[in-house]
Amino acid sequence: MSSVRQARVPAARKPPPSGPGSLTAVQRRLGRDWRLAALFLAPMAVLVGGLVLVPIARSIITSTTERHGQDTVFVGLDNYLALVGDDQFHTGVVNSFVFTAYAEVFKVVLGLAAALLLHQRRRGRAVLAGLLLVPWVVPTVVTAFSWRALLDPIFGSVNTLLTTTGIGPLLADAHLVDSWPAGWLSDPSLAMPSVILVNVWKGVPFFTVCFLAGLKAIPADLYEAATIDGASSWRRFTHVTLPGLRHVITVTVTLSSIWTFNNFDLVWLLTQGGPGDVTAPYVLVAYSKAILQLQYGAGAAVTLVMLPVIGGLVFVLVRLLRQDSGVKLPGRRRATRWIGTRRWAAPARRALPWVVTAVVTGLLAWASPQIFWKAAVVLGVILLIAAGVGRVVSALSSRGGRRSSSVVSGLGSGVALAGLLFFVLGPLYWIAVTAFKSEGQVVMRTDDLWPTPWTLEQFGALFDNQPFGRWYLNTLLVSAASTAVALVCAALAGYALARLRFRGAQGFTVTVLLTYVMPGALLFIPLYQMLIGARLTDSLWSLVVTYPTFTLPFATWLLVGYFSSIPVELEEAALVDGCSRIQAFGRVVLPLAKPGLLAVALFTLTNAWNEFLFAFVFITKDEYKTLPVGMQSMIAGDVVPQGQLAAASLLVSIPVVIMYALGQRFLTEGLTAGAVKG
């Protein structure tokens, strides 16, 4: 062994020293690893450039045109000027703002409450967190169908439950609803609050998981010091918890706001923008103009006008994420000026959240006065209950009744957690039991909570009456193909951005983030035009080609962080032993990155499995539809096959839940046993 080792040393190809004298002129100008970086980034650059940047440029050009019969005429800025007097566009913008603002407020409140409840528990935390995560995992079409059935004014279980408990008539007496039983999705005054409620139900798990991770990162010493100083639970919350979560809250709210502001599928599946246009967001207005009316220029103008709003949110997100990697200190010559700037900037930064809150509150009160006071009442009740329980616990604790305070605290936490679990898991339980009911039980609404007898009738009718098997196969093929493309391209690009030295690496990383948060609403119109030109509409290839627009940037962004966490010494040792950079990547880095690659595969496969907007716009033939679009097409007007849809929802959701369960387990094992972190 010794002689073999000595024989290999002279033949080993050591990496060149990092000094400037060892680099060529081109390397000094473009970076030491520019050739390999160009090779690794080429697939990513081609796909992102061809599927994101080119469509955006094309959308800008399209917005200056108008279709007259078979001809397309240049009209300059007429499409933008027409939006000034377009009432449908004004309504869509206001609806998007109202929908996003209320949803984010309630997601923050409920997500923070759920995270605090879980953080205090020592037993069963992982199980409860997994249960709370299910609404975020299940496809949007399942969410929309379940809530649409539950909120039905005649057959829905929500009205039945509220009537039985007496809460429904009480809501009518308090004027929170105009009449009882309530038409949640058909009443113009209740449609938007109902859509917001469903979005909150689906988004709370994401906030809970993020806030729970942030709570775990707050040092316990801070709470101990505050307790020793005599701080109450409320003061510990305001002076320790909230400052510790400030960055997590800001990033989470910003990212969620981008998603919510550009939401299309949930609103379309629940109300299709109705009744009237009271729930139609600006994305649906763009879809109506471009796809239904075939006025691509007007539709493109709608999406581009809203681009500055998205750009502002993206700018905030990029700055926050760049702060995570460290703050670049100013040079010596600018130190004094920087310190002076910080002196006046600090009070401004402290006042900025309050100014933003006041402005948003005023706009909400102006844009939706009916929703504003109802939301204020609901939010006030939630906060008063939480404050009341906290006050009782603090009073008992201050009087020396530790046992009494712990009992009250435990009881209050248990009741709150039970209510949260009922809110989260109730719709999913309804889907599960409805799928095993006979058609007679579904129509007659007998045995609502427990099928008697259990039957597979709905599953048989689903496959007999619908091409469900074909939809399933289409979804599987498209998801697998787009995941494979994302894995290969993201692994190459992520490694290049994390490890290789070349000019423009930081700019390319920011571009990846920007393309990730760019809404599908901005891309579906130019992509639709490109697919028509290439004659790829109504084919699975149209989805395989376009899905990398949202799977590839996220996969690359995730892998950049994971590759950076792998010790560089392992790769350097392989280079010293004679491996080329590509061999070290394949033999050392990729095996250690298996958990990260699995996480990428899990997220990209799930996103492709659940995608609705592109599949809805690009596919019209039944034989090429995916599961979300196929399930939506099963509803014909007012005829809703509830049993078959419940069976389809169960079959669609089970693979996703299983993938997450197995993926999380493998990911944990890989992080603890596979990679060397020291």
Side-chain angles (χ1 to χ4, degrees), residues 573-610:
L575 295 175
V576 171
D577 285 343
C579 288
S580 65
R581 200 63 183 261
I582 296 179
Q583 290 174 329
F585 169 68
R587 297 178 181 179
V588 177
V589 178
L590 282 183
L592 292 175
K594 283 182 180 179
L597 294 173
L598 177 66
V600 165
L602 181 64
F603 285 116
T604 54
L605 188 64
T606 303
N607 287 335
W609 188 272
N610 299 341

Side-chain angles (χ1 to χ4, degrees), residues 78-441:
D78 287 357
N79 288 322
Y80 295 95
L81 296 176
L83 296 178
V84 176
D86 191 335
D87 293 336
Q88 186 184 23
F89 171 71
H90 297 165
T91 302
V93 173
V94 172
N95 288 341
S96 294
F97 168 72
V98 170
F99 177 57
T100 302
Y102 285 116
E104 296 309 309
V105 169
F106 280 95
K107 280 187 280 191
V108 168
V109 173
L110 295 179
L112 184 56
L116 291 171
L117 290 173
L118 292 177
H119 185 64
Q120 294 173 357
R121 297 188 67 88
R122 297 182 179 180
R123 296 180 180 179
R125 182 192 300 174
V127 175
L128 292 174
L131 291 175
L132 291 176
L133 192 62
V134 173
W136 189 60
V137 172
V138 298
T140 303
V141 65
V142 176
T143 299
F145 157 69
S146 59
W147 277 99
R148 185 170 170 175
L150 289 170
L151 295 174
D152 187 276
I154 300 175
F155 301 106
S157 299
V158 171
N159 276 353
T160 302
L161 178 63
L162 294 180
T163 300
T164 303
T165 58
I167 298 177
L170 185 62
L171 294 176
D173 293 339
H175 301 290
L176 291 174
V177 297
D178 295 335
S179 61
W180 193 260
W184 298 101
L185 296 176
S186 57
D187 188 338
S189 64
L190 293 177
M192 179 60 81
S194 300
V195 175
I196 293 171
L197 170 69
V198 179
N199 182 266
V200 170
W201 178 83
K202 189 168 182 62
V204 162
F206 173 72
F207 279 71
T208 301
V209 172
C210 293
F211 293 164
L212 189 59
L215 288 172
K216 292 179 181 178
I218 299 177
D221 298 344
L222 298 179
Y223 289 103
E224 294 176 0
T227 303
I228 293 173
D229 290 341
S232 63
S233 57
W234 172 252
R235 295 184 67 86
R236 291 196 299 270
F237 174 74
T238 56
H239 290 81
V240 179
T241 303
L242 285 183
L245 291 177
R246 181 177 55 188
H247 185 75
V248 176
I249 291 175
T250 308
V251 172
T252 306
V253 170
T254 305
L255 192 57
S256 178
S257 297
I258 296 172
W259 297 338
T260 307
F261 192 78
N262 295 284
N263 188 284
F264 172 85
D265 47 1
L266 185 64
V267 177
W268 176 265
L269 291 168
L270 282 172
T271 64
Q272 295 188 3
D277 289 327
V278 296
T279 60
Y282 89 96
V283 183
L284 199 148
V285 175
Y287 167 79
S288 176
K289 291 180 180 295
I291 307 302
L292 300 183
Q293 302 173 21
L294 296 180
Q295 291 295 337
Y296 301 123
V302 170
T303 60
L304 289 172
V305 162
M306 302 311 299
L307 187 58
V309 177
I310 306 300
L313 294 173
V314 170
F315 175 76
V316 172
L317 181 62
V318 170
R319 291 205 54 175
L320 290 170
L321 292 176
R322 289 179 65 180
Q323 288 176 6
D324 287 341
S325 60
V327 180
K328 186 176 180 181
L329 295 177
R332 280 174 136 187
R333 296 179 180 178
R334 297 164 51 197
T336 304
R337 191 194 317 172
W338 183 76
I339 293 173
T341 304
R342 295 277 291 183
R343 287 175 180 172
W344 66 263
R349 281 200 307 272
R350 287 195 296 268
L352 182 61
W354 297 103
V355 173
V356 172
T357 301
V359 171
V360 172
T361 302
L363 289 175
L364 285 175
W366 167 79
S368 56
Q370 292 184 344
I371 302 177
F372 182 80
W373 76 267
K374 295 177 182 177
V377 170
V378 174
L379 192 62
V381 170
I382 295 174
L383 296 178
L384 283 175
I385 293 175
V389 174
R391 177 77 64 169
V392 171
V393 172
S394 298
L396 292 175
S397 179
S398 63
R399 294 176 183 177
R402 293 184 177 180
R403 187 170 183 178
S404 301
S405 65
S406 62
V407 170
V408 173
S409 177
L411 182 61
S413 299
V415 172
L417 196 56
L420 185 63
L421 287 174
F422 177 78
F423 172 67
V424 167
L425 300 180
L428 302 177
Y429 174 80
W430 183 88
I431 290 176
V433 297
T434 304
F436 293 98
K437 294 178 182 178
S438 64
E439 189 63 26
Q441 294 179 60

Side-chain angles (χ1 to χ4, degrees), residues 269 466 471 622 625 627-636 645:
L269 291 168
Q466 307 289 344
W471 298 341
D622 279 344
K625 288 180 179 178
L627 285 170
V629 180
M631 290 175 61
Q632 187 268 341
S633 67
M634 292 170 61
I635 302 174
L645 281 171

